[in-house]
Amino acid sequence: MRIRFTKMQGAGNDFVVLDETRERLNLSPAHYRFLADRHFGVGADQILSVRPAPQPDVDFEYVIHNADGGEVEQCGNGSRCFVRFVREQGLTDKTSVRVKVHGGVIELHQLPNGQVRVDMGAPVFDAHQVPFDPHHAQADGPHAWWLTLSDASTCRVGVVSMGNPHAVQVVDNVNNAPVLTQGPLMEHHAAFPKRVNAGFMQIIDRRTIRLRVFERGAGETLACGTGACAAVVTGIRWGLLDPEVLVHTHGGDLTIAWAGGASSVHMTGPADTVFHGEINLPDTL
């Protein structure tokens, strides 16, 4: 089967975007893994499938698959690429769209300067909804938990869902943070029944952080939009950050704003088209 695709990136977080507004491609997890493969496929952290609106109060639906072929609930950098894609492809002329994702409904706004602002909705702290099993962690006050990892190391984390689960810890310097060793152990920790994205946050000042994220099903990526939101929310809850924060990632900068409580988290950042192409999907994988 030969399919068309668009390669996009937001702050270095890269995506293969598929237009399924006219017909479903009915791809398998193996097909998604093939597309994400950087040697034999196109290469991407995630694959985004654009679909028609499934209900009257939204403009589109999109489905997200990680590089390992598994479907996930939300992707902040991907959502910015999404709105740029539907406008460039002539699927809408709106500058603001409402989109259904597995984790709920989000609002996307393309700004005059080409950046995209996303209303990511309110952060979720309820353990069942994250999901998070506190029986496998030790509470440290109202907003923090100690995790013991399988290598016997420990880390103090904030746990939050931004449509997908995150565990965020503060480190002295992201350059030598144990992202590649602790990241997989946190991802598969028993406290997270659907696995978790592991964030490593270095606080520069109250309005600036540096961030690395080990994403479930993808490994470390150059940027993670929901991870940036989760890190800032955690820092604000811990009294370490102001309501608007500049987040430096390896792939670029994101601006995250949260007024606290049940208010929405807003993320602003870049979204760019890299190239368009076609690829043959093998009949057997």
Side-chain angles (χ1 to χ4, degrees):
M1 178 170 56
R2 188 169 182 83
I3 64 170
R4 296 177 181 271
F5 68 89
T6 297
K7 178 70 178 282
M8 304 189 75
Q9 64 89 15
N13 203 183
D14 63 335
F15 308 95
V16 169
V17 187
L18 306 175
D19 183 353
E20 292 189 332
T21 57
R22 295 171 181 84
E23 63 177 345
R24 292 285 181 90
L25 296 173
N26 296 315
L27 302 185
S28 68
H31 287 132
Y32 293 119
R33 290 194 294 271
F34 176 82
L35 287 170
D37 191 289
R38 298 186 185 278
H39 299 286
F40 298 101
V42 181
D45 294 322
Q46 292 172 318
I47 293 89
L48 312 179
S49 301
V50 182
R51 295 177 180 175
Q55 57 199 59
D57 62 335
V58 300
D59 298 290
F60 295 96
E61 177 183 24
Y62 88 99
V63 177
I64 310 154
H65 286 85
N66 273 342
D68 66 357
E71 185 178 346
V72 292
E73 304 92 340
Q74 177 59 293
C75 174
N77 289 323
S79 64
R80 296 199 315 278
C81 291
F82 177 94
V83 71
R84 183 141 195 167
F85 176 85
V86 295
R87 284 176 50 79
E88 288 182 349
Q89 294 297 309
L91 300 175
T92 184
D93 59 1
K94 295 181 179 180
T95 56
S96 297
V97 296
R98 284 172 53 84
V99 180
K100 183 182 184 301
V101 294
H102 184 74
V105 174
I106 56 176
E107 294 185 9
L108 319 173
H109 311 273
Q110 182 160 317
L111 305 179
N113 63 2
Q115 295 231 322
V116 177
R117 185 178 74 248
V118 184
D119 181 338
M120 298 291 292
V124 173
F125 307 110
D126 176 77
H128 178 72
Q129 291 181 273
V130 170
F132 169 63
D133 185 350
H135 295 98
H136 295 282
Q138 181 178 348
D140 182 13
H143 305 315
W145 299 86
W146 282 99
L147 299 177
T148 300
L149 305 181
S150 59
D151 65 354
S153 65
T154 60
C155 53
R156 181 177 184 267
V157 299
V159 176
V160 57
S161 172
M162 289 302 312
N164 54 0
H166 290 267
V168 182
Q169 63 178 295
V170 174
V171 297
D172 292 333
N173 190 321
V174 292
N175 290 339
N176 53 28
V179 177
L180 299 182
T181 54
Q182 278 195 0
L185 304 183
M186 293 175 67
E187 177 187 357
H188 295 282
H189 195 279
F192 302 100
K194 292 188 176 180
R195 298 183 294 164
V196 75
N197 301 287
F200 299 77
M201 169 174 59
Q202 175 187 348
I203 297 178
I204 307 302
D205 56 47
R206 293 191 62 85
R207 296 177 60 85
T208 314
I209 67 171
R210 298 175 66 201
L211 180 69
R212 292 172 66 184
V213 179
F214 190 94
E215 295 194 48
R216 57 175 183 170
E220 184 180 8
T221 55
L222 292 179
C224 175
T226 57
C229 295
V232 170
V233 165
T234 297
I236 292 173
R237 293 184 95 205
W238 287 355
L240 303 175
L241 298 174
D242 287 346
E244 184 171 301
V245 177
L246 179 64
V247 180
H248 296 299
T249 74
H250 283 327
D253 294 343
L254 302 171
T255 300
I256 309 298
W258 183 51
S263 62
S264 291
V265 179
H266 290 88
M267 173 183 59
T268 303
D272 295 297
T273 298
V274 181
F275 61 88
H276 305 283
E278 296 184 1
I279 188 170
N280 285 318
L281 297 179
D283 292 330
T284 58
L285 288 173

